[in-house]
Amino acid sequence: MDFLKKFWPTPFTLKKGEWKDCVIKLVIFVVIMAIVGVVMGLLAQIPVVNIIVAIVGALLEVYGLVFILLCILRTTGVLNDDAGDNNKAE
């Protein structure tokens, strides 16, 4: 769980049932990803940079998919903070 919080901190600020906040975060994320996609499309016109842009684009797609899934799972309550955390101090 700490690994997920380290690389995707934004979904973990959501609470169960807060669909309005979830939709706002997703819309902002999609707009940012669209802007990055346009910039990457422009950079892909350069032959040598094309390979690097393709690799970075694929990684960003995976990152975006995981972000969207975490937002939805957090908002529905499937993913909790204490899930699988057996190292809590008593």
Side-chain angles (χ1 to χ4, degrees):
M1 187 66 78
D2 291 333
F3 175 78
L4 293 175
K5 287 182 182 180
K6 181 178 178 182
F7 289 103
W8 291 278
T10 305
F12 289 96
T13 61
L14 295 170
K15 303 282 188 250
K16 181 180 178 182
E18 291 182 353
W19 285 102
K20 181 180 176 183
D21 291 339
C22 179
V23 170
I24 291 171
K25 287 181 191 285
L26 289 176
V27 167
I28 291 171
F29 184 75
V30 167
V31 168
I32 291 172
M33 290 296 283
I35 293 170
V36 170
V38 169
V39 171
M40 288 176 55
L42 293 174
L43 289 175
Q45 302 300 321
I46 304 170
V48 175
V49 180
N50 187 12
I51 296 169
I52 297 169
V53 169
I55 293 169
V56 171
L59 292 174
L60 283 175
E61 287 179 14
V62 171
Y63 183 86
L65 179 64
V66 172
F67 179 86
I68 292 169
L69 289 174
L70 286 176
C71 281
I72 292 171
L73 291 175
R74 258 318 257 194
T75 306
T76 57
V78 173
L79 188 63
N80 297 325
D81 282 335
D82 57 352
D85 191 12
N86 296 329
N87 298 327
K88 289 186 177 179
E90 296 178 17

